[in-house]
């Protein structure tokens, strides 16, 4: 704990503050890109109710991918360049983020009663109105639950990007292990845990806020 509360360790280019911002940056980029892919696919499948089982199977398979192994393979296989470390790291995190997001969208739409949808359609709602005024508001709490799972998984997994030379909180684990500096490793692990916990609690609050509104 002394390493974590020492003021000098929070400043400078390699201090906790900079590494924390780097970690948040990698995670936010991955979640944003994953949303660009998962949201339209999940909404299309959820609204049509077709192919849901296939998507959930694929999502389950993506969760089982070994992040470090995939990261190493991409780092070796992709063409080298100035931004090379960021490219394979982002690909790995996006692949891992898509799985819980897709599952969240599909499960969210599946939680909406078909009778409600049929009633809206019988009342003259267009498909776009059913999607935006009925299904998405009712599915929002479950979708946010998928986002919670996605963000926590990405934050925890983003530590491995330090293995190929990037920054983030994983640097304390990699660099600490190299010199057997265990206090540094513990400090890094505690910060990753705290970041994931705070983010999860924040999204849990958003989920609770949306639940009564959707009902």
């Amino acid at each position: 704990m002394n390493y974590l509360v020492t003021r000098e360790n929070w400043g400078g280019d390699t201090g906790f503050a900079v590494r924390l911002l780097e970690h948040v940056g990698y995670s936010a980029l991955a979640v944003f890109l994953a949303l660009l892919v998962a949201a339209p696919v999940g909404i299309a499948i959820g609204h049509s109710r077709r192919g849901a089982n296939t998507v959930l199977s694929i999502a389950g398979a993506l969760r089982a991918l070994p992040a470090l192994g995939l990261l190493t393979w991409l780092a070796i296989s992709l063409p080298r360049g100035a931004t090379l470390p960021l490219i394979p790291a982002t690909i790995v995190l996006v692949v891992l983020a898509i799985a819980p997001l897709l599952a969240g969208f599909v499960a969210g739409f599946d939680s909406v009663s078909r009778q409600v949808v049929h009633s809206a359609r019988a009342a003259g709602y267009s498909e776009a109105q059913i999607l935006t005024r009925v299904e998405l508001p009712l599915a929002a709490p479950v979708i946010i639950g998928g986002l919670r799972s996605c963000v926590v998984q990405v934050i925890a997994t983003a530590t491995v990007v330090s293995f190929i030379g990037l920054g983030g909180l994983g640097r304390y684990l990699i660099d600490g292990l190299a010199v057997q500096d265990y206090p540094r490793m513990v400090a890094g692990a505690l910060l990753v845990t705290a970041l994931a916990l705070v983010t999860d609690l924040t999204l849990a609050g958003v989920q609770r806020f949306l639940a009564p509104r959707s009902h």
Side-chain angles (χ1 to χ4, degrees), residues 71-110:
L71 178 65
T72 304
W73 178 74
L74 288 173
I76 296 173
S77 302
L78 292 177
R80 296 189 176 276
T83 59
L84 173 65
L86 184 59
I87 296 174
T90 302
I91 292 174
V92 170
L93 294 179
V94 168
V95 169
L96 292 176
I98 286 175
L101 283 176
L102 272 178
F105 273 99
V106 173
F109 276 84
D110 191 56

Side-chain angles (χ1 to χ4, degrees), residues 103 114 184:
R114 295 299 291 173
R184 188 192 306 185

